[in-house]
Amino acid sequence: MRSSPAMTRAVVLGRALPLSSPPQRSTASNHSPIRSVYKSQRAKIFWRPEEIEALQLGAPPHVWRIRAIALETGLRPGDLAILSREHIHRTPHGRRIVIWTQKRNQLASIPVTDRMAALIDNTAAPQSRLIVNTRGAPYQHENYLGDAVSQ
């Protein structure tokens, strides 16, 4: 999910305006504090099977692959861009994706669902990254994932 330029400006203003007020001013100003409009709560987003099917039917295969892996893992674009076979580990109960996240540097351990297992198994043998562009090369930057999906 990408924030719009207007949303980014609102966040910057919300942080900068309280700092610009002289200390002797009353805190009852209309601008102090401005609450942030943007809140990232992706954990509460659920996709119904018919919505996922509509996404799959309306997208080119390489775009569907990006969307499907994003849906199955919940990873951010920066983590999706580097996701590779090396992050897939066998366990007594199946497979797990284990990856250090780029943004917060936290270890994420994600169970591999049936759909994700099919995506992994259908990845070409010499290809190490799970998401590649139409030429088969890994994405060089996470922004290119968003560009591919929004075209």
Side-chain angles (χ1 to χ4, degrees):
M1 176 180 277
R2 294 166 52 175
S3 63
S4 68
M7 192 68 68
T8 303
R9 285 191 292 273
V11 170
V12 169
L13 269 175
R15 291 180 182 156
L17 279 176
L19 299 174
S20 66
S21 301
Q24 68 272 14
R25 266 188 124 171
S26 169
T27 58
S29 166
N30 290 337
H31 302 293
S32 179
I34 293 178
R35 294 200 175 136
S36 175
V37 178
Y38 176 75
K39 292 191 189 289
S40 178
Q41 272 298 350
R42 291 183 297 274
K44 294 182 180 178
I45 298 173
F46 291 95
W47 291 85
R48 295 190 311 258
E50 59 271 13
E51 293 171 325
I52 295 171
E53 186 178 335
L55 279 174
Q56 183 176 9
L57 294 175
H62 73 283
V63 172
W64 163 244
R65 187 171 183 82
I66 296 169
R67 289 178 175 174
I69 293 175
L71 284 169
E72 294 300 315
T73 63
L75 292 171
R76 293 182 185 91
D79 301 323
L80 291 173
I82 63 167
L83 187 61
S84 70
R85 291 180 187 275
E86 296 171 359
H87 296 111
I88 312 299
H89 299 278
R90 294 213 176 270
T91 68
H93 303 290
R95 293 184 278 185
R96 293 190 80 77
I97 297 169
V98 181
I99 185 171
W100 285 97
T101 62
Q102 298 289 308
K103 185 173 182 178
R104 301 203 190 275
N105 200 29
Q106 294 178 337
L107 188 64
S109 178
I110 305 160
V112 173
T113 62
D114 292 339
R115 182 181 292 123
M116 187 65 195
L119 289 164
I120 293 167
D121 296 340
N122 291 333
T123 302
Q127 179 181 317
S128 95
R129 298 264 177 99
L130 296 183
I131 297 177
V132 294
N133 61 25
T134 54
R135 294 183 310 271
Y139 283 93
Q140 297 300 312
H141 193 274
E142 63 191 70
N143 289 350
Y144 298 147
L145 289 174
D147 294 344
V149 171
S150 62
Q151 289 178 350

